[in-house]
Amino acid sequence: MNFSPTHRQAWMRLLALSSWNDLKAYTDGFATTPCDMIRPPETGLVMLRGRIGGSGSAFNLGEATVTRCAVRTSKGHEGHAYVMGRNHGHAKLAAVCDALLQDESQRAEIDARVLQPLQKLMAEQRSLAAHKAAASKVDFFTLVRGEND
């Protein structure tokens, strides 16, 4: 294996955060990769925890729906995925991509055909959201009225 855990974390994050339609479009053809199901897609709840001010006592914020999946390719690479929501197809496809990205013979192709376009698309979406937020920015200022002279 010629990749670090941080590289894997980055691509797993990208696959999980991408929209289902975008992931499906860029992975056309990879969905048919034969894989054994270690853990078929299943949906459950996770507890979200928060801290006031980032350093206060932890408290339960609420629950979120998450779908997870684990697969193994014929070469023995295991892929895992956790995605927000109930989309079993998204979880399975992300797990398949994770497994294939661990295979050195396929990593460059999947990086070029899936990860880089997804990364570019997500950066464009972040930029658009930031632009929309900046357009609604309100500057507050105080007028000096002169009555305290």
Side-chain angles (χ1 to χ4, degrees):
M1 289 184 197
N2 205 7
F3 61 90
S4 70
T6 32
H7 287 117
R8 186 170 182 208
Q9 289 169 354
W11 77 54
M12 289 179 80
R13 178 183 185 278
L14 184 62
L15 293 169
L17 292 178
S18 64
S19 78
W20 163 240
N21 291 329
D22 295 335
L23 181 64
K24 191 169 67 170
Y26 289 125
T27 56
D28 188 32
F30 295 124
T32 59
T33 302
C35 291
D36 296 327
M37 286 288 175
I38 297 172
R39 175 178 285 135
E42 57 187 0
T43 301
L45 294 173
V46 294
M47 181 60 69
L48 302 177
R49 298 190 42 102
R51 292 182 185 274
I52 295 177
S55 61
S57 305
F59 64 94
N60 293 339
L61 187 62
E63 294 175 333
T65 307
V66 174
T67 303
R68 67 180 180 180
C69 182
V71 299
R72 182 180 296 118
T73 64
S74 58
K75 292 185 178 181
H77 299 290
E78 289 185 10
H80 302 272
Y82 285 80
V83 298
M84 296 291 285
R86 300 174 179 270
N87 191 330
H88 288 206
H90 188 172
K92 181 183 177 200
L93 198 50
V96 169
C97 286
D98 177 44
L100 294 175
L101 282 160
Q102 294 175 58
D103 183 356
E104 288 186 36
S105 65
Q106 297 197 32
R107 187 176 312 130
E109 178 186 1
I110 296 173
D111 183 50
R113 286 182 51 190
V114 179
L115 296 183
Q116 290 178 12
L118 282 176
Q119 203 166 24
K120 181 181 176 189
L121 186 64
M122 288 179 76
E124 289 171 357
Q125 290 170 345
R126 264 193 313 271
S127 175
L128 181 62
H131 183 68
K132 284 182 179 179
S136 66
K137 180 180 176 186
V138 177
D139 289 323
F140 293 95
F141 59 93
T142 304
L143 293 175
V144 179
R145 294 174 56 179
E147 56 192 42
N148 291 337
D149 291 336

